[in-house]
């Protein structure tokens, strides 16, 4: 059986492509298992993750044939939820490069990313209520954080699918690029991340994920660690040296 993901690794990033083109990259159990393996790797060796889809589609949803067969115990196991929580919690940033459809579970995987970019053909949303279920793998709490409660409520209760320009205007994606330029744009973001201090980047992501009750204590503790970092000393010394020669 072919892998559900194509994985390419470099020193500072991993590129993961969803590869079920015959099913429009619908997320099935095999893909979830492969995502867990990716998370195992990135938790052990933190790098930026770029996620994209093959065949002009990000992911057209969860695999409906498998969903139809699932029962209450399967729902309580949170099959997709647990994988997407691990993606969201990865130490380094996650970039979703979205071309075409990102629906249902595909949209929820995109919501788990830290940065989302797309193409003009992007279509994203959660039509789950039309299938007799809810968006239970992150949309009900992540989408309001991204686009605001009112807009998320409209999307989730109506099953509205946003087109690319709407998604950009709502802040659901940060930028739009032609399909042939999408991965290059994702790599350009990863390049900017790689130019920064990895520990400072990880700590920034930790602070961004913290709850309101944890602020400002969490930032102060993370900053305290960075203030003792040799990399902070090196980078600031280099900055001051460059400034003195201008």
């Amino acid at each position: 059986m072919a892998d559900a993901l194509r994985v390419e690794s470099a020193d500072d990033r991993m590129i993961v492509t969803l590869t079920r083109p015959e099913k429009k990259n619908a997320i099935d159990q095999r893909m979830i298992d492969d995502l867990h393996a990716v998370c195992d790797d990135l938790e052990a060796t933190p790098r930026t993750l770029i996620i994209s889809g093959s065949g002009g589609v990000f992911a057209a949803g969860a695999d409906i044939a498998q969903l139809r067969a699932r029962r209450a115990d399967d729902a309580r196991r949170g099959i997709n939820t647990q994988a997407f929580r691990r993606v969201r919690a990865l130490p380094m940033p996650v970039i979703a490069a979205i071309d075409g459809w990102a629906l249902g579970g595909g949209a929820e995987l995109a919501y788990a990313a830290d940065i989302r970019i797309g193409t003009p053909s992007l279509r994203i949303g959660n039509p789950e209520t039309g299938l007799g279920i809810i968006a239970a793998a992150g949309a009900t709490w992540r989408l309001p954080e991204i686009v605001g409660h009112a807009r998320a409520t409209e999307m989730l209760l109506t099953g509205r699918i946003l087109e690319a320009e709407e998604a950009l205007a709502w802040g659901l994606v940060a930028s739009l690029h032609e399909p042939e330029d999408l991965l290059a744009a994702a790599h350009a973001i990863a390049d900017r991340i790689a130019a920064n201090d990895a520990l400072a980047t990880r700590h920034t992501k930790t602070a961004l994920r913290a709850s309101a009750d944890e602020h400002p204590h969490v930032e102060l503790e993370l900053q305290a660690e960075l203030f003792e970092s040799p990399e902070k000393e090196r980078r600031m010394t280099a900055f001051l040296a460059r400034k003195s020669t201008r």
Side-chain angles (χ1 to χ4, degrees):
M1 184 179 291
D3 292 336
L5 305 178
R6 183 172 68 247
V7 178
E8 304 165 73
S9 291
D11 290 342
D12 60 4
R13 71 198 63 177
M14 178 182 287
I15 305 93
V16 167
T17 307
L18 312 184
T19 53
R20 295 188 74 211
E22 74 286 356
K23 298 291 186 180
K24 294 183 169 34
N25 301 328
I27 297 170
D28 66 349
Q29 183 64 61
R30 183 163 49 95
M31 190 177 287
I32 290 295
D33 293 342
D34 288 351
L35 277 173
H36 279 296
V38 164
C39 290
D40 287 342
D41 191 332
L42 292 175
E43 287 162 358
T45 308
R47 284 157 286 163
T48 294
L49 171 62
I50 297 172
I51 304 177
S52 67
S54 60
V57 176
F58 184 72
D63 190 298
I64 301 301
Q66 289 189 5
L67 276 181
R68 185 178 60 179
R70 289 176 183 170
R71 294 296 180 259
D73 286 346
D74 298 307
R76 294 187 180 101
R77 285 169 55 208
I79 295 169
N80 290 6
T81 301
Q82 299 308 321
F84 298 168
R85 286 184 68 182
R86 289 186 74 186
V87 169
R88 177 63 175 164
L90 287 171
M92 289 291 282
V94 178
I95 303 163
I98 309 166
D99 187 16
W101 297 103
L103 301 179
E108 290 179 298
L109 175 57
Y111 303 156
D114 300 291
I115 299 169
R116 285 163 298 280
I117 61 175
T119 69
S121 66
L122 178 149
R123 302 291 184 269
I124 188 167
N126 294 89
E128 281 90 343
T129 54
L131 294 170
I133 59 174
I134 68 171
T140 57
W141 72 90
R142 291 197 184 101
L143 189 58
E145 292 179 351
I146 298 167
V147 302
H149 193 273
R151 284 171 165 169
T153 298
E154 180 195 354
M155 286 181 66
L156 294 175
L157 293 182
T158 66
R160 179 178 175 183
I161 307 304
L162 295 188
E163 297 188 358
E165 291 293 341
E166 292 175 302
L168 180 63
W170 284 23
L172 188 48
V173 294
S175 58
L176 297 176
H177 309 269
E178 292 303 318
E180 62 270 21
D181 300 325
L182 183 63
L183 274 181
H187 279 289
I189 295 169
D191 289 342
R192 293 198 294 273
I193 291 168
N196 298 325
D197 175 39
L199 184 60
T201 298
R202 291 176 61 176
H203 281 1
T204 298
K205 180 166 178 176
T206 297
L208 284 166
R209 289 201 316 264
S211 68
D213 291 340
E214 293 176 281
H215 299 296
H217 176 75
V218 65
E219 287 93 347
L220 302 183
E221 286 302 314
L222 293 168
Q223 191 77 301
E225 180 181 347
L226 291 168
F227 272 15
E228 300 294 331
S229 165
E231 185 64 9
K232 170 247 188 180
E233 185 79 15
R234 185 191 71 79
R235 285 175 176 262
M236 289 192 176
T237 299
F239 172 84
L240 292 170
R242 290 194 302 271
K243 186 176 179 181
S244 68
T245 61
R246 290 174 184 168

